[in-house]
Amino acid sequence: MGNEYRNLQIDRGSEIWRILISRPGDRNSIDSPLMVELEAALNEAEQGSVRAVVFSGKGKEYFIGGADGIEMMQCSPEQAEAFSERIQTLFNRMEASPLILVAAVNGLCFGGGFEFALACDLRLAAHSARIGLPEVKVGIIPGGGGTQRLPRLVGPGLATEMIFSGRLYGGQEAARLGLVNRAAEDKDLLAEAERMLEPILRNPQHALRRAKAAIKGGQDLTSGLAEERAQFGPCFGHKFFVELMKKQLKSGLLVTTAQLPAGFLD
């Protein structure tokens, strides 16, 4: 792939990269090609002197608007479980990176978007951000590690309430609840991310890398993620999600740049 990315805009600083997730016609959602690009960008960053990566979303409306519903609505239960495994693999790869990954949540951040943020080491949210896991509202469940990482972050009580209700939380409330490390004024979000990193990057890289490995190593996700995949796939044996997506596409509530098979919406 080299240094060319279709869905990412990268500002390559000497120690900090800013990566802008850029699928504006599709809510910056995570589809299979974007997953490939994100892995490639991590591989590239790890080859040089980079120590941290700050992710944000293109535009003011979305950080990441979930995993790509258009791709998922065409999945059988078996394909949905495979999609879950693929996105889990990306997020596991992020956690395993020696770099410090920061999610600068600058807009709507739900479903797979929040699961992406959960796989980062640090999270900041703009005051206007809205964050949560609303999958049950569309008849599925989190499939990118949300059922496992969220309880580890905020405890099972709050995580259960969040997942069962599908509620979205504003940036300041998200900070108060511990969903993000801190909130910032929208215009100051990226500057605040770098202010957060400044004292961290004064420390030696080998110590930061080993500290991250120790923190992540104490949170065994393997069996939990497998169970999540096993419960995610069968949701696609029900018509609720697909019929809801079709209805939203026909009404114009949901737009996409994807080309659906002929007759798919009939």
Side-chain angles (χ1 to χ4, degrees):
M1 180 176 292
N3 294 340
E4 299 302 320
Y5 299 93
R6 181 177 179 182
N7 300 302
L8 301 176
Q9 296 176 15
I10 303 179
D11 178 4
R12 296 172 173 85
S14 58
E15 284 197 315
I16 301 173
W17 278 16
R18 289 184 178 184
I19 296 183
L20 194 68
I21 295 166
S22 179
R23 296 189 71 224
D26 295 278
R27 305 159 301 285
N28 296 336
S29 62
I30 301 173
D31 66 351
S32 292
L34 178 58
M35 290 187 233
V36 172
E37 290 195 8
L38 286 164
E39 287 189 352
L42 279 178
N43 291 336
E44 183 189 347
E46 290 169 6
Q47 300 308 307
S49 61
V50 183
R51 302 182 66 192
V53 176
V54 178
F55 294 99
S56 57
K58 185 175 180 64
K60 296 182 178 180
E61 187 174 0
Y62 290 98
F63 171 65
I64 300 174
D68 192 279
I70 305 302
E71 182 173 352
M72 290 194 298
M73 71 184 288
Q74 300 175 68
C75 289
S76 67
E78 294 75 21
Q79 291 168 332
E81 187 170 342
F83 183 89
S84 173
E85 183 172 17
R86 179 70 185 83
I87 200 167
Q88 286 180 1
T89 298
L90 168 64
F91 296 159
N92 288 344
R93 168 70 179 86
M94 291 167 60
E95 283 197 331
S97 174
L99 306 178
I100 299 169
L101 306 184
V102 182
V105 180
N106 59 309
L108 282 163
C109 172
F110 55 81
F114 185 41
E115 291 172 310
F116 179 98
L118 288 171
C120 291
D121 303 298
L122 300 168
R123 288 161 293 279
L124 300 89
H127 287 174
S128 66
R130 299 192 64 207
I131 297 169
L133 295 174
E135 284 90 340
V136 294
K137 290 188 171 184
V138 297
I140 60 175
I141 67 169
T147 66
Q148 304 304 303
R149 289 189 176 92
L150 185 59
R152 288 165 171 78
L153 180 67
V154 298
L158 177 57
T160 299
E161 179 183 351
M162 285 186 63
I163 293 168
F164 281 7
S165 70
R167 179 186 166 196
L168 299 182
Y169 297 78
Q172 290 172 292
E173 186 174 10
R176 181 177 62 81
L177 295 173
L179 303 176
V180 299
N181 296 84
R182 60 182 74 171
E185 296 284 352
D186 290 39
K187 62 182 177 60
D188 298 328
L189 182 64
L190 292 177
E192 184 64 23
E194 297 202 5
R195 278 194 291 270
M196 176 186 279
L197 284 168
E198 184 178 349
I200 294 172
L201 296 183
R202 294 189 195 125
N203 301 315
Q205 181 65 14
H206 74 271
L208 294 173
R209 175 173 57 83
R210 293 188 180 278
K212 175 173 176 174
I215 293 166
K216 304 303 182 184
Q219 303 176 22
D220 180 21
L221 294 175
T222 304
S223 61
L225 290 173
E227 180 63 23
E228 183 183 80
R229 291 194 301 274
Q231 299 300 333
F232 182 78
C235 292
F236 290 75
H238 297 266
K239 295 181 178 180
F240 190 95
F241 174 71
V242 173
E243 293 303 318
L244 179 61
M245 294 289 288
K246 287 181 178 180
K247 181 179 178 180
Q248 291 183 353
L249 285 165
K250 289 177 179 178
S251 70
L253 181 63
L254 178 64
V255 296
T256 180
T257 64
Q259 295 297 314
L260 290 166
F264 189 80
L265 296 181
D266 294 342

